Amino acid sequence: MRLEPIANASLARRLGLPLAALGATVIVAGVLALIAGANPFAVLGQIVTGAVGSKFALLETLNRATPLIFTGLAVAVAFKAKLWNIGAEAQLYAGAIIAVLMGTGAMESPIVLPVSALLAMAAGALVLLGPVLLKTRLGVDEVVTTLLLNFIMLLFVSYLLEGPMKDPMGMGWPKSEPLIKDARLPRIVEGLRLHWGFALALIAAVVVYIIERRTTFGFEMRAVGSNLGAARFAGIPVNRVLVQTALLSGGLAALAGWSEVAGLKGHLSQDLSPGFGYTGIIVAMLALLNPIGVVGTAIFVAGIFVGSDAMSRAAVVPTYIADMLLASALLFMVLALLLTRVRVVRG
Amino acid sequence: MTDKNAQAEEFVLRLDGISKRFGALTANSGISLGLRRGEVIALLGENGAGKTTLMNILFGHYVADEGTVEVFGEPLPPGNPRAALAAGVGMVHQHFTLADNLSVIDNITLGTESLWSRGNGRAAARARIKALSRDFGLAVHPDARVGSLSVGERQRVEILKALYRDARILILDEPTAVLTPQETDALFDTLRRAIAAGLSIIFISHKLHEVIAIADRCIVLRHGKVVGEVDTHSTDRAKLASMMVGGEIALPEAEARAPGPALLRLNHVSTRAKGTATGLRQVTLDLCSGQIIGLAGVSGNGQAALADLVSGLVRPDQGSIEIGGRQPIVWSPREALRHRIARIPEDRHKTGTISDFNLTENAVLEGYSCPPFSRRGWMNWRAAESFAKDIIAKYDVRCQGPAQRIRLLSGGNMQKLILGRVLEPTPKIILANQPVRGLDVGAIAYVHSRLIAARDAGAAVLLISEDLDEIQSLSDVIHVMSEGRLSPGFARGSMTAAELGLWMAGQGFEGGEDAA
């Protein structure tokens, strides 16, 4: 068995294969439900209803999608330049810390929101600046440094929440003081549980798209990611571009944590992110690193999580099914995309 | 080879009606050919004519859509390299398939012995390899590590590998591309011995004079079809060349001109070796306006280091660069571009273009950061596209349009786009590193005529090539590189190929000091 490249894949191949991947994912979900002892059709139905079946469910999905759009964009931007930022989780918490620092009395006016958002982005950028400088100056692998920084950052947050940032009224729980009203993101429509963070995420996606396609920096970034040798030969300042990309990526990831604190939770706790930084990688890969596509895949992934939560309340199937669904969706999609470019021949 | 009737029946290899399509592209279309015992046939054709595809089908790397392969009268099962090996077909690839960290004897016996009999047949294998090297004139030490061997020696190991497996049919894909003239002669001696021992050979080459020197028959491929078969004893280079491209070609001949002032000067420049690539040793060189300087040498003797230096990728460790009489403070690709150095890179796929980018994006890859393509950080794609369209029209780039991805272009058209990109801003200095490698005869003539025109307009041209013919026909002055050292400049016509070959082999250099 060998792989042979296909020069021009047919439309049927390019549309059919991703659909087949989706179908295969559904079948895997069904089998998993069967193993758990439930009716697969009922389980799948409950996941769909739980994700988009009501206004409440849909808004919940969009809320969950908000941090995923930010981390997905952060990963998509970095990966576009072949900068392997696995540390969106750490950058997310950097943004969350700033939201608390600025939102618990440092400033008492509505101006606090934009100021704290900008500072959060700066903090996230700073977290990624170290690894990228180590990469460009000393050739240290950023996969290792960004990944390990996640754990350092989690421990730092844990220290803050047990120490200097601990809410004295928190009955001993490791969480921060609640944000003041001025520092909180309002809801888009009064009475509906969806905050402005979601709108901000959509704007961020459009901005990233414009940066990539229309600006000189975007061109440099894509060139560095597509062919480092050719980019360097053509006189593109590779190291500067990598640093700039890191600043953008870190800033975007930080907005995920910032909007979760300022828009949804209102305080910082250790369970702020159930791995949004890592899930952002799946979101970005499923979207083929396209920033507009990230919005769609983030909502899809959020839907699976929210739907699985609802399903597990109704059925006996554990929520871990969501993780397995996502993992298989990613694997099938990667395979489908490979098969749009090559075909398997015998011999 | 005297009694033709006796041999007519004895086809050791027959290809019958081979066709192979890749999507819309027909790589081979109804190709039939026969190889007799003790015969050398040359497979000649432009790049993309289907030579490599045909040999890959024969060796089982590809499966043909139609047609059959017969070896010694037996049909060969398609898509099975092991069957081809077992039937006695041996292939010497252009890019060697050797393990650098193993010894010669290990490389040759790899895959021929069972895992369980380790050590048993080793003495026998060694004796056999020694006998083969003696019989075929393939001098190489069996215990040497392949990583320490020269390119010529590695090729001998490849040939030994095929002979060790009892190959009766040898296929050589562009075997002389990496050899000095002297090494090529030694290779031809080996091949003649192989024929005398009853082997048959298919020889793939671009170099017409070699085809005439070694082959009995020459089969010319064009656009995947056999367009002609000639007896090489009754033909000449001009006829072969016109068969290859389907028309007479005027090869441009550069006329000598008096050089102008030095535009770029290297003063005793040395650079460190990078990995296995040789660095420069005390290179002094003047590139003068209105002059083509040819740089000859066996691949891997510092040409890459010199090209990297001039293109701005590498800074001198010792010595200095002067441009227009001044030393640049920093030295980078962008600085080289600012001094209007046009750079045609050796590898147009890996360094010259970004294959996922379209023609427009590739056209502005070097100039993207300056007006009119970029203003205040925003790209002006309309200006970029019209620049790409200009190049496409002026340099005759055959493509679907500026929005096509460059990876879909042929090598020649890709090179034309690069030419347009670097020549349109009217450069002062041109670095042309292997500018015609892999191009067909028509594209070669075109690239050469552009370089000559640029020189006549006052540019200084540094031409780096492994093809001595190209160097000799274009250059006003020829330098030879060997182990990072630069020979003195030889005026056009003052040296024969054999004399240059001696310099290429490292003779004539005085203790690392160059005398330019």
Side-chain angles (χ1 to χ4, degrees):
Chain A
M1 299 251 280
R2 288 178 304 113
L3 299 178
E4 206 170 74
I6 301 172
N8 282 310
S10 66
L11 192 68
R13 206 177 175 91
R14 278 183 293 148
L15 286 180
L17 278 165
L19 284 177
L22 207 60
T25 308
V26 169
I27 291 170
V28 167
V31 171
L32 289 174
L34 264 181
I35 293 171
N39 175 356
F41 297 102
V43 165
L44 285 172
Q46 279 158 350
I47 290 179
V48 174
T49 330
V52 294
S54 64
K55 194 158 78 180
F56 174 82
L58 189 62
L59 290 176
E60 190 56 32
T61 297
L62 295 184
N63 260 335
R64 189 76 70 95
T66 302
L68 289 178
I69 295 174
F70 283 123
T71 54
L73 287 173
V75 171
V77 160
F79 281 21
K80 200 93 177 191
K82 293 237 163 71
L83 177 73
W84 307 116
N85 175 15
I86 314 295
E89 192 79 1
Q91 295 135 30
L92 177 152
Y93 274 109
I97 292 169
I98 296 292
V100 173
L101 274 182
M102 296 304 297
T104 50
M107 285 174 88
E108 291 191 31
S109 91
I111 197 91
V112 69
L113 260 181
V115 170
S116 110
L118 287 176
L119 284 177
M121 288 185 76
L126 206 65
V127 170
L128 191 48
L129 187 63
V132 79
L133 286 180
L134 282 173
K135 175 190 169 76
T136 54
R137 296 284 163 88
L138 302 172
V140 180
D141 190 340
E142 75 275 20
V143 172
V144 177
T145 49
T146 54
L147 179 67
L148 293 184
L149 262 180
N150 288 341
F151 302 105
I152 295 173
M153 189 56 108
L154 265 177
L155 290 169
F156 181 60
V157 167
S158 156
Y159 153 76
L160 287 178
L161 294 180
E162 293 286 359
M165 269 195 178
K166 189 169 185 174
D167 182 7
M169 316 292 279
M171 320 236 279
W173 291 100
K175 62 185 200 102
S176 76
E177 274 181 65
L179 266 56
I180 58 169
K181 191 159 183 309
D182 279 343
R184 299 219 37 185
L185 276 167
R187 293 181 173 177
I188 297 175
V189 178
E190 205 48 54
L192 294 182
R193 219 176 91 91
L194 184 66
H195 60 87
W196 272 97
F198 181 71
L200 200 62
L202 295 185
I203 294 168
V206 174
V207 168
V208 168
Y209 180 81
I210 291 172
I211 288 175
E212 279 184 9
R213 291 284 143 189
R214 297 274 160 209
T215 68
T216 313
F217 164 60
F219 180 70
E220 292 173 327
M221 192 176 95
R222 290 188 293 124
V224 167
S226 303
N227 184 338
L228 187 67
R232 184 168 281 143
F233 181 83
I236 294 172
V238 171
N239 286 347
R240 193 197 78 204
V241 171
L242 283 175
V243 170
Q244 287 172 332
T245 306
L247 296 180
L248 179 61
S249 171
L252 285 165
L255 282 181
W258 177 83
S259 84
E260 281 297 277
V261 170
L264 197 69
K265 297 278 173 64
H267 65 266
L268 173 60
S269 58
Q270 271 180 292
D271 60 355
L272 179 78
S273 162
F276 288 135
Y278 301 104
T279 313
I281 298 172
I282 299 181
V283 167
M285 302 273 285
L286 281 176
L288 303 180
L289 310 186
N290 179 325
I292 304 299
V294 160
V295 174
T297 54
I299 293 172
F300 170 76
V301 169
I304 289 184
F305 277 125
V306 172
S308 302
D309 281 347
M311 179 275 302
S312 80
R313 281 194 294 272
V316 289
V317 180
T319 53
Y320 295 119
I321 197 171
D323 294 320
M324 301 194 62
L325 265 180
L326 276 188
S328 51
L330 182 65
L331 290 177
F332 285 128
M333 202 57 89
V334 168
L335 191 64
L337 293 172
L338 176 73
L339 289 178
T340 55
R341 280 183 289 123
V342 296
R343 67 163 66 89
V344 181
V345 289
R346 295 209 312 163
Chain B
M1 269 164 286
T2 43
D3 189 356
K4 292 227 163 181
N5 288 332
Q7 292 195 354
E9 290 84 46
E10 219 179 330
F11 276 117
V12 295
L13 171 75
R14 284 177 69 99
L15 300 177
D16 196 23
I18 300 281
S19 294
K20 177 73 184 172
R21 280 172 291 273
F22 296 102
L25 176 87
T26 304
N28 287 163
S29 152
I31 294 182
S32 301
L33 64 88
L35 177 66
R36 297 187 187 91
R37 191 179 136 82
E39 187 185 38
V40 180
I41 61 176
L43 218 49
L44 194 65
E46 295 182 71
N47 215 53
K51 306 181 301 275
T52 307
T53 304
L54 188 66
M55 289 306 106
N56 277 324
I57 289 169
L58 168 57
F59 202 64
H61 287 313
Y62 291 154
V63 179
D65 298 329
E66 289 157 32
T68 54
V69 180
E70 267 181 28
V71 181
F72 297 107
E74 299 283 324
L76 200 65
N80 189 346
R82 275 177 183 282
L85 275 172
V89 180
M91 187 146 176
V92 176
H93 291 274
Q94 194 176 357
H95 304 284
F96 302 145
T97 53
L98 298 171
D100 280 357
N101 53 343
L102 296 183
S103 69
V104 169
I105 183 166
D106 284 336
N107 264 288
I108 291 172
T109 55
L110 196 66
T112 61
E113 53 192 11
S114 153
L115 270 179
W116 312 111
S117 67
R118 187 97 189 110
N120 282 353
R122 204 158 171 85
R126 179 189 304 273
R128 184 127 184 265
I129 290 169
K130 280 200 167 154
L132 285 172
S133 14
R134 195 183 54 236
D135 294 348
F136 291 94
L138 292 162
V140 57
H141 197 283
D143 292 314
R145 233 167 39 87
V146 163
S148 68
L149 298 182
S150 74
V151 179
E153 286 171 315
R154 285 178 205 218
Q155 190 175 59
R156 284 178 226 154
V157 177
E158 279 279 355
I159 297 173
L160 275 174
K161 206 163 92 180
L163 293 174
Y164 185 82
R165 293 173 182 226
D166 290 320
R168 307 303 297 159
I169 299 166
L170 268 185
I171 302 168
L172 298 127
D173 190 3
E174 305 255 358
T176 59
V178 291
L179 303 181
T180 62
Q182 283 80 358
E183 282 173 321
T184 302
D185 287 342
L187 171 71
F188 282 3
D189 176 51
T190 296
L191 296 185
R192 291 197 186 96
R193 291 191 200 200
I195 302 158
L199 273 79
S200 310
I201 292 169
I202 297 182
F203 184 87
I204 302 173
S205 181
H206 275 315
K207 298 182 184 170
L208 301 173
H209 64 95
E210 291 177 354
V211 167
I212 290 171
I214 192 79
D216 303 310
R217 271 189 304 145
C218 173
I219 288 163
V220 183
L221 293 184
R222 192 163 72 227
H223 302 312
K225 290 191 186 119
V226 176
V227 292
E229 189 181 322
V230 284
D231 187 341
T232 50
H233 307 299
S234 62
T235 188
D236 60 40
R237 286 161 68 169
K239 267 189 211 152
L240 282 178
S242 68
M243 276 178 86
M244 265 167 77
V245 294
E248 295 285 336
I249 318 202
L251 290 167
E253 190 74 10
E255 280 179 33
R257 295 173 98 249
L263 299 178
L264 186 144
R265 172 168 281 173
L266 303 179
N267 288 322
H268 299 283
V269 173
S270 297
T271 64
R272 261 186 293 269
K274 273 198 297 186
T276 57
T278 314
L280 297 179
R281 285 159 65 186
Q282 296 277 326
V283 168
T284 296
L285 179 66
D286 278 354
L287 299 184
C288 298
S289 164
Q291 198 178 39
I292 297 181
I293 296 211
L295 192 69
V298 177
S299 141
N301 271 285
Q303 298 97 318
L306 185 61
D308 283 354
L309 180 77
V310 175
S311 41
L313 289 169
V314 162
R315 296 180 188 139
D317 289 324
Q318 284 173 31
S320 62
I321 303 179
E322 275 178 31
I323 298 174
R326 257 184 265 164
Q327 288 186 23
I329 298 161
V330 288
W331 188 234
S332 65
R334 192 164 272 197
E335 191 67 10
L337 288 170
R338 218 174 58 74
H339 287 288
R340 296 189 25 214
I341 299 181
R343 304 152 321 142
I344 302 170
E346 179 175 8
D347 188 332
R348 54 186 156 270
H349 301 277
K350 283 196 192 133
T351 23
T353 58
I354 295 181
S355 48
D356 281 335
F357 277 17
N358 63 30
L359 267 65
T360 300
E361 289 167 322
N362 274 294
V364 298
L365 203 54
E366 291 180 343
Y368 75 94
S369 61
C370 306
F373 307 130
S374 167
R375 278 183 214 281
R376 292 196 193 91
W378 293 88
M379 291 300 289
N380 181 348
W381 286 116
R382 198 171 299 166
E385 193 184 294
S386 81
F387 178 61
K389 279 184 176 158
D390 280 352
I391 292 177
I392 291 168
K394 207 165 153 187
Y395 292 79
D396 188 31
V397 182
R398 309 273 170 84
C399 62
Q400 287 164 14
Q404 190 182 13
R405 283 190 185 190
I406 202 158
R407 69 155 88 226
L408 300 170
L409 261 56
S410 73
N413 284 312
M414 220 180 257
Q415 194 73 328
K416 285 179 188 169
L417 186 93
I418 294 176
L419 268 185
R421 176 173 87 199
V422 303
L423 294 184
E424 272 312 282
T426 49
K428 286 183 174 164
I429 299 160
I430 299 170
L431 165 72
N433 193 358
Q434 318 287 355
V436 299
R437 176 184 280 173
L439 301 191
D440 61 61
V441 179
I444 289 174
Y446 182 81
V447 172
H448 284 166
S449 68
R450 283 285 175 176
L451 290 179
I452 292 168
R455 177 201 69 172
D456 292 345
V461 181
L462 175 61
L463 171 69
I464 302 179
S465 176
E466 281 155 25
D467 185 346
L468 259 188
D469 284 353
E470 184 187 7
I471 295 277
Q472 285 185 306
S473 71
L474 285 181
S475 313
D476 299 306
V477 175
I478 299 174
H479 290 268
V480 180
M481 277 208 110
S482 173
E483 290 172 13
R485 294 166 305 183
L486 192 73
S487 79
F490 307 117
R492 160 197 296 280
S494 67
M495 297 285 261
T496 64
E499 285 170 318
L500 290 172
L502 289 177
W503 282 92
M504 283 160 76
Q507 292 182 33
F509 291 93
E510 296 160 26
E513 267 298 313
D514 83 276

